[in-house]
């Protein structure tokens, strides 16, 4: 799978679908040669042309004007030795300079995939699942080494990359930037696809041409953020969901991140991705090392859907861990939009009783159960029971819920602290703050300094005491504000630029310990909805609350964009009350159900206020979802019609053996004298015969090439249809 040709000094990483080729050029420069569709055998004759470019300095041979670091395609470039493009690293040395010149020192090829200590990452369960190339580059003048790691999986068209800096010198080095990966592409046209947004409007798909210059996509918020997800794709201009070449880059990290893309004057493209370098400073003393997070790079020559399929499969199989990795997720009811903070045991058990009749499997008690919490301006950090609300106690409430046949879940926000809390009165210094400077509030709360061990230990003991007392099956882990006044009293002035990353390392350590100690609890991450929906969190918590916006029409774009990289099994999606609490929109229970069923399904409303007709419809929805949830959560998800391109949305779920499929169609607004809508499917077996809704019969080739008409009698705004396809076995 990984070959090194001594004669041509090239490395060739390949599996059944892709190749990644890099080589050693003049001055032991690590150069990028190729990433894309599988090359059966690389003969070593594709080299960057030698050409004199004006004002491009020449190193290592000053008399050879045909080779310059300023133009050659590289793997992990520095700055100051002739390359004026974006560097992959910026290392401030004792003399104040950032000039480096890293050259290939050695390499090794290992079976499997080494673990990243303290960081989430993809993994292997058997050594034959992957091979890893580790190329060591060194700057002899400074005594620095960087281990560049490339893992190629046997069964996925992906390369997982990371970098580790080791200080073998005699003086400290200040890391101001150390990207997880960098790659240079030769001159060709690309369009950039990225996922931006805001609260209640996460992961909106933006597609734009790349012009000469630098494009920066980042989060400085201390989280992966609602505003810019740590994923980008580079697509050829005519790439669609089903055709064309596209490259994906996904950072496995939950903190501040940065993707930088530079198109140089010769139309060459450089992309770097990693921890945000803005205000980042890490002191690396002699003998110490620094490990970057991982980037998962993927390639598809069959369009965006295939790229998504690769990420979905990889993340489900080799990122998500634990007992819930491949397990069907329960249908839940959350009390938040039903009661908000105003609840007692009678209200909660009334919801549970209604839920049982409908067939719901999990009851989740949301915010308001702890401390003196009656609003969102108090008690975060006081993770003990608010005895005035549920007089029977949460332990007995949990037992009552279990006795009624449902699982019991609860809400936590462990990373936050309220000014009005016992914890803040005892330890005001535990909040992130700059001494002498005022603190900014967000949602009436501060951020706890999770870089400090004593802070983590205190919160952990509170959560442990609760879990050891109250039977809990599910935890919704929330995080409702971003970092400001990022400063830790435990660090020196020189180390303050490392606070945000140390916070993330502390958080990862906390979650690793907690999920290992309570493996039977299903953890769902949340940050005001989708403000921390990233691959790093999926390593610890297999699903995420996709958005606080539960409006079915808004969710079409949110879930469509999220699916570009994250699997359906990770997307929490609920039916909520109307008028919707975020948009005030009224939509039918049918379309709310069809949208929510396209994720990890649940409800978030007051069941006691519904009519018997609505309850019956919900009961039917739950039964249908349970019957098909394995197909929905773990089947092949394929996008058909984009809400970003028109009035219609469609997607489908296909079983691995292609014997069964579910198709969901949505139309936002109706119009008079509208064209007839013909829907063509994808991914079926063209030789199979399928029944549609146990009625009409189609060949797989018919459904994909001819398609079928959406019912022209489908009327009104916010309309939907669902189609169940099942193979008809030959008699």
């Amino acid at each position: 799978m990984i070959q090194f040709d001594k004669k041509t000094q090239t490395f060739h990483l390949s599996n059944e679908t892709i190749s990644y080729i890099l080589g050693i050029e003049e001055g032991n420069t690590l150069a990028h040669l190729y990433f894309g569709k599988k090359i059966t055998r690389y003969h070593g004759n594709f080299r960057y042309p030698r050409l004199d470019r004006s004002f491009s300095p020449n190193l290592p041979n000053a008399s050879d004007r045909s080779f310059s670091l300023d133009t050659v395609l590289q793997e992990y470039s520095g700055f100051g030795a002739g390359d004026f493009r974006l560097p992959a690293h910026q290392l401030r040395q004792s003399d104040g300079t950032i000039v480096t010149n890293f050259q290939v020192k050695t390499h090794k090829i290992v079976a499997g995939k080494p673990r990243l200590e303290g960081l989430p990452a993809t993994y292997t369960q058997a050594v034959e699942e992957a091979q890893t190339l580790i190329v060591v580059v060194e700057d002899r003048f400074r005594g620095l080494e960087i281990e560049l790691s490339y893992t190629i999986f046997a069964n996925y068209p992906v390369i997982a990359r990371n970098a580790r800096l080791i200080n073998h010198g005699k003086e400290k080095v200040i890391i101001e930037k150390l990207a997880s990966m960098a790659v240079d592409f030769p001159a060709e046209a690309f369009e950039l696809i990225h996922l931006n947004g805001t609260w209640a409007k996460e992961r909106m798909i933006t597609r734009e041409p790349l012009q000469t210059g630098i494009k920066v996509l980042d989060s400085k918020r201390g989280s992966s953020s609602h505003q810019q997800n740590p994923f980008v794709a580079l697509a050829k201009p005519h790439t669609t969901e089903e055709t064309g070449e596209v490259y994906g880059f996904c950072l496995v990290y939950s903190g501040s991140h940065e993707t930088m893309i530079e198109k140089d004057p010769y139309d060459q493209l450089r992309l770097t991705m990693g921890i945000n370098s803005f205000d980042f400073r890490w002191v690396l003393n002699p003998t110490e090392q620094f490990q970057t997070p991982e980037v998962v790079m993927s390639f598809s020559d069959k369009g965006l859907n295939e790229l998504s399929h690769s990420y979905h499969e990889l993340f489900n199989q080799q990122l998500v861990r634990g007992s819930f990795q491949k397990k069907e997720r329960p249908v839940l009811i959350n009390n938040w939009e039903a009661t908000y903070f105003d609840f007692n045991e009678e209200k909660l058990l009334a919801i549970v009783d209604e839920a049982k009749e409908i067939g719901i499997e999990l009851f989740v008690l949301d915010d308001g159960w702890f401390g003196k919490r009656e609003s969102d301006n108090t008690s975060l950090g006081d993770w003990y029971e608010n005895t005035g609300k549920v007089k029977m106690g949460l332990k007995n409430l949990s037992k009552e819920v279990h006795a009624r046949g449902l699982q019991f879940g609860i809400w936590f926000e462990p990373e936050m602290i309220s000014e009005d809390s016992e914890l803040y009165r005892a330890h005001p210094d535990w909040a992130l703050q700059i001494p002498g400077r005022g603190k900014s509030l967000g949602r009436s709360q501060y951020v706890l300094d999770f870089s400090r061990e004593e802070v983590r230990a205190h919160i952990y003991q509170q959560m442990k005491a609760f879990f050891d007392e109250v039977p809990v099956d599910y935890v919704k882990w929330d995080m409702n504000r971003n970092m400001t006044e990022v400063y830790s009293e435990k660090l020196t002035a020189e180390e303050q630029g490392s606070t945000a990353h140390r916070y993330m390392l502390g958080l990862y350590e906390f979650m690793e310990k907690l999920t290992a100690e309570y493996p039977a609890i299903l953890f769902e991450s949340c940050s005001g909805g989708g403000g921390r929906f990233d691959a790093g969190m999926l390593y610890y918590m297999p699903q995420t609350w996709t958005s606080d916006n539960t409006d079915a029409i808004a969710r079409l774009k949110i879930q469509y964009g999220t699916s570009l990289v994250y699997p359906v099994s990770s997307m929490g999606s609920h039916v909520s009350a109307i008028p919707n609490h975020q948009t005030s929109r009224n939509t039918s229970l049918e379309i709310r159900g069809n949208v929510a069923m396209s994720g990890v399904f649940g409800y978030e409303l007051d069941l006691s206020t519904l009519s018997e007709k609505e309850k019956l419809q919900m009961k039917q929805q739950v039964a249908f979802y349970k019957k098909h949830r394995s197909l929905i959560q773990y089947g092949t998800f394929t996008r058909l019609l984009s809400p970003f391109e028109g009035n219609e949305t469609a997607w489908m779920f296909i079983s691995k053996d292609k014997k069964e499929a579910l198709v969901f169609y949505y139309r936002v607004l109706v119009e008079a004298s509208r064209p007839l809508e013909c829907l063509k499917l994808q991914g079926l077996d063209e030789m199979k015969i399928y029944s549609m809704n146990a009625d009409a019969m189609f060949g797989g080739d018919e459904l994909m090439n001819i398609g079928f008409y959406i019912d022209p009698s489908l009327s009104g705004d916010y309309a939907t249809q669902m189609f169940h396809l099942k193979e008809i076995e030959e008699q």
Side-chain angles (χ1 to χ4, degrees):
M1 203 175 339
I2 300 178
Q3 298 174 322
F4 176 63
D5 188 322
K6 290 184 179 180
K7 182 179 179 181
T8 61
Q9 292 287 286
T10 55
F11 303 93
H12 185 187
L13 294 74
S14 66
N15 56 26
E16 292 301 313
T17 53
I18 64 166
S19 284
Y20 194 100
I21 305 173
L22 52 161
I24 302 173
E25 303 277 6
E26 283 93 325
N28 286 333
T29 300
L30 190 61
H32 178 76
L33 296 174
Y34 176 76
F35 179 30
K37 193 172 181 179
K38 178 182 174 64
I39 303 299
T40 303
R41 182 183 176 190
Y42 176 65
H43 290 84
N45 292 314
F46 179 79
R47 297 179 73 231
Y48 191 81
R50 273 39 183 173
L51 179 67
D52 184 2
R53 295 287 197 184
S54 297
F55 283 82
S56 290
N58 307 116
L59 191 77
N61 187 350
S63 63
D64 181 7
R65 296 188 177 184
S66 68
F67 182 86
S68 176
L69 297 176
D70 191 32
T71 55
V72 68
L73 304 180
Q74 297 179 62
E75 279 291 318
Y76 201 78
S77 60
F79 185 83
D83 190 348
F84 296 100
R85 295 168 292 178
L86 287 171
H89 53 81
Q90 187 169 313
L91 309 175
R92 186 74 58 182
Q93 291 131 54
S94 58
D95 59 6
T97 69
I98 61 167
V99 176
T100 54
N101 184 21
F102 282 91
Q103 301 172 325
V104 176
K105 176 184 179 182
T106 185
H107 76 273
K108 61 180 177 180
I109 299 169
V110 298
K113 183 177 188 292
R115 182 179 179 182
L116 294 192
E117 290 298 326
L119 285 166
T122 55
Y123 60 88
T124 54
Q125 295 176 319
V127 293
E128 61 268 18
E129 293 176 348
Q131 273 191 319
T132 300
L133 168 67
I134 300 173
V135 181
V136 180
V137 295
E138 66 173 350
D139 185 319
R140 291 183 182 178
F141 183 71
R142 295 297 182 185
L144 301 174
E145 286 185 355
I146 302 176
E147 293 183 355
L148 301 174
S149 179
Y150 302 77
T151 296
I152 183 165
F153 288 86
N155 298 321
Y156 306 99
V158 302
I159 304 287
R161 290 185 57 181
N162 67 80
R164 185 160 64 107
L165 175 65
I166 307 166
N167 187 357
H168 293 298
K170 297 179 180 180
E171 298 177 315
K172 68 183 179 184
V173 172
I174 306 298
I175 304 173
E176 296 178 348
K177 176 181 180 179
L178 194 70
S180 296
M181 58 76 60
V183 65
D184 290 351
F185 288 93
E188 50 187 327
F190 280 114
E191 292 179 344
L192 174 65
I193 300 173
H194 56 103
L195 303 174
N196 53 28
T198 186
W199 175 81
K201 195 178 179 182
E202 298 92 336
R203 290 169 299 286
M204 299 291 102
I205 296 178
T206 295
R207 183 166 179 166
E208 56 186 292
L210 283 167
Q211 307 294 342
T212 300
I214 297 173
K215 177 82 173 182
V216 179
L217 304 170
D218 77 344
S219 166
K220 303 180 185 71
R221 295 171 173 266
S223 73
S224 49
S225 83
H226 302 81
Q227 285 71 20
Q228 192 70 59
N229 196 261
F231 166 81
V232 301
L234 297 176
K236 296 295 181 64
H238 299 295
T239 296
T240 67
E241 290 283 12
E242 299 302 327
T243 63
E245 293 186 351
V246 57
Y247 299 84
F249 306 86
C250 182
L251 181 66
V252 187
Y253 188 63
S254 311
S256 297
H257 59 89
E258 137 185 296
T259 301
M260 306 182 80
I261 306 111
E262 180 175 9
K263 189 172 186 179
D264 73 11
Y266 309 113
D267 289 342
Q268 299 175 151
L269 206 67
R270 171 170 292 174
L271 186 148
T272 68
M273 177 179 271
I275 297 171
N276 201 318
S277 60
F278 179 82
D279 195 33
F280 179 80
R281 285 173 58 88
W282 188 282
V283 180
L284 195 70
N285 293 306
T287 75
E288 292 182 344
Q289 53 187 272
F290 181 87
Q291 175 66 59
T292 72
E294 177 174 275
V295 169
V296 178
M297 306 166 57
S298 187
F299 170 77
S300 165
D301 65 341
K302 296 182 179 64
L304 291 164
N305 265 317
E306 185 182 74
L307 186 82
S308 300
H309 297 162
S310 299
Y311 278 117
H312 295 179
E313 277 296 302
L314 180 75
F315 288 172
N316 272 330
Q317 302 294 331
Q318 311 210 227
L319 178 70
V320 172
R321 304 173 300 160
S323 59
F324 295 95
Q325 182 196 32
K326 301 172 186 177
K327 191 175 181 180
E328 293 180 6
R329 311 289 164 69
V331 179
L332 67 80
I333 178 74
N334 184 298
N335 74 298
W336 180 242
E337 289 193 11
T339 68
Y340 292 102
F341 293 106
D342 182 19
F343 61 81
N344 54 36
E345 59 200 84
E346 289 79 15
K347 285 185 179 181
L348 298 180
L349 289 175
I351 294 173
V352 172
D353 288 337
E354 294 283 2
K356 179 184 178 182
E357 293 301 313
I358 290 168
I360 291 169
E361 300 159 308
L362 166 66
F363 168 75
V364 180
L365 175 58
D366 211 283
D367 194 357
W369 60 265
F370 56 93
K372 298 177 181 178
R373 186 80 160 178
E374 300 295 342
S375 67
D376 64 7
N377 61 10
T378 182
S379 297
L380 291 174
D382 299 342
W383 299 110
Y384 51 84
E385 188 175 334
N386 182 342
T387 55
K389 282 198 170 182
V390 179
K391 292 183 173 54
M392 64 167 39
L394 293 183
K395 180 179 180 179
N396 289 326
L397 176 66
S398 175
K399 288 182 178 179
E400 284 294 323
V401 172
H402 284 108
R404 286 162 163 80
L406 275 72
Q407 296 177 310
F408 180 74
I410 200 150
W411 180 94
F412 271 92
E413 194 172 2
E415 301 163 70
M416 300 292 148
I417 184 170
S418 299
E419 191 169 42
D420 181 12
S421 67
E422 296 302 318
L423 182 61
Y424 186 83
R425 283 184 278 274
H427 299 284
D429 61 304
W430 283 10
L432 288 178
Q433 58 190 290
I434 300 171
R437 184 181 291 276
K439 300 186 295 295
S440 56
L441 278 170
R443 197 176 178 257
S444 300
Q445 62 197 55
Y446 302 124
V447 181
L448 279 170
D449 185 357
F450 256 57
S451 73
R452 294 171 61 169
E453 185 176 359
E454 68 271 30
V455 175
R456 301 194 302 271
H458 181 84
I459 299 299
Y460 191 90
Q461 287 306 313
Q462 287 193 78
M463 295 183 73
K464 176 176 171 55
F466 184 87
F467 294 149
D468 289 346
E469 173 70 15
V470 180
V472 171
D473 304 290
Y474 162 101
V475 167
K476 180 180 177 183
W477 178 301
D478 216 336
M479 182 260 204
N480 279 311
R481 67 155 292 181
N482 293 139
M483 294 183 189
T484 56
E485 293 83 46
V486 182
Y487 182 97
S488 177
E489 292 196 5
K490 288 291 185 179
L491 299 177
T492 67
E494 190 176 43
E495 294 173 318
Q496 290 303 324
S498 69
T499 303
H501 181 56
R502 291 181 190 274
Y503 178 106
M504 289 311 309
L505 295 177
L507 177 63
Y508 288 149
E509 177 190 82
F510 188 103
M511 292 191 296
E512 179 72 32
K513 183 179 178 182
L514 190 69
T515 55
E517 186 163 359
Y518 300 97
I521 295 178
L522 172 59
F523 286 88
E524 178 176 281
S525 66
C526 176
S527 177
R532 203 162 59 182
F533 201 135
D534 57 71
M537 293 304 292
L538 292 183
Y539 184 75
Y540 304 98
M541 303 183 183
Q543 62 191 58
T544 300
W545 180 225
T546 312
S547 177
D548 278 349
N549 189 344
T550 55
D551 174 58
I553 305 308
R555 273 297 189 106
L556 293 174
K557 287 185 176 180
I558 294 169
Q559 292 176 205
Y560 193 98
T562 303
S563 76
L564 202 59
V565 59
Y566 303 108
V568 169
S569 61
S570 68
M571 288 194 278
S573 186
H574 300 170
V575 173
S576 62
I578 55 170
N580 179 266
H581 291 201
Q582 291 78 45
T583 66
S584 299
R585 196 186 335 252
N586 286 293
T587 53
S588 69
L589 186 54
E590 182 183 19
I591 195 169
R592 281 179 281 154
N594 281 358
V595 173
M597 278 194 284
S598 297
V600 178
F601 188 46
Y603 292 89
E604 195 154 334
L605 39 70
D606 188 348
L607 298 174
S608 65
T609 64
L610 302 179
S611 67
E612 291 303 315
K613 180 180 179 181
E614 289 173 317
K615 292 176 186 177
L616 176 61
Q617 190 175 354
M618 289 171 63
K619 189 173 184 178
Q620 293 169 342
Q621 287 176 341
V622 170
F624 182 88
Y625 186 79
K626 287 179 179 178
K627 182 178 180 180
H628 299 286
R629 89 174 118 194
S630 179
L631 171 60
I632 292 172
Q633 292 178 4
Y634 298 107
T636 301
F637 178 80
T638 299
R639 297 176 297 272
L640 300 174
L641 297 174
S642 172
F644 295 95
E645 297 176 2
N647 190 44
E648 302 166 282
T649 303
W651 49 56
M652 62 187 294
F653 304 86
I654 311 160
S655 65
K656 300 302 182 185
D657 59 11
K658 300 189 177 185
K659 291 184 177 182
E660 187 177 14
L662 279 174
V663 182
F664 291 89
Y665 168 85
Y666 315 91
R667 186 185 64 220
V668 177
L669 299 177
V670 71
E671 57 181 288
S673 301
R674 65 184 182 274
L676 296 176
E677 295 126 346
C678 184
L679 184 63
K680 294 181 181 181
L681 306 184
Q682 300 290 340
L684 301 173
D685 187 331
E686 62 182 16
M687 302 303 295
K688 292 187 186 298
I689 306 300
Y690 296 91
S691 66
M692 180 182 287
N693 294 343
D695 184 13
M697 183 188 305
F698 294 89
D701 53 354
E702 292 178 89
L703 290 167
M704 292 188 292
N705 297 313
I706 301 175
F708 60 93
Y709 282 110
I710 298 298
D711 185 354
S713 67
L714 191 65
S715 62
D717 295 339
Y718 319 136
T720 183
Q721 277 192 282
M722 179 171 58
F723 307 93
H724 179 217
L725 306 178
K726 197 168 180 67
E727 181 188 13
I728 299 175
E729 302 287 350
E730 293 186 9
Q731 301 297 323

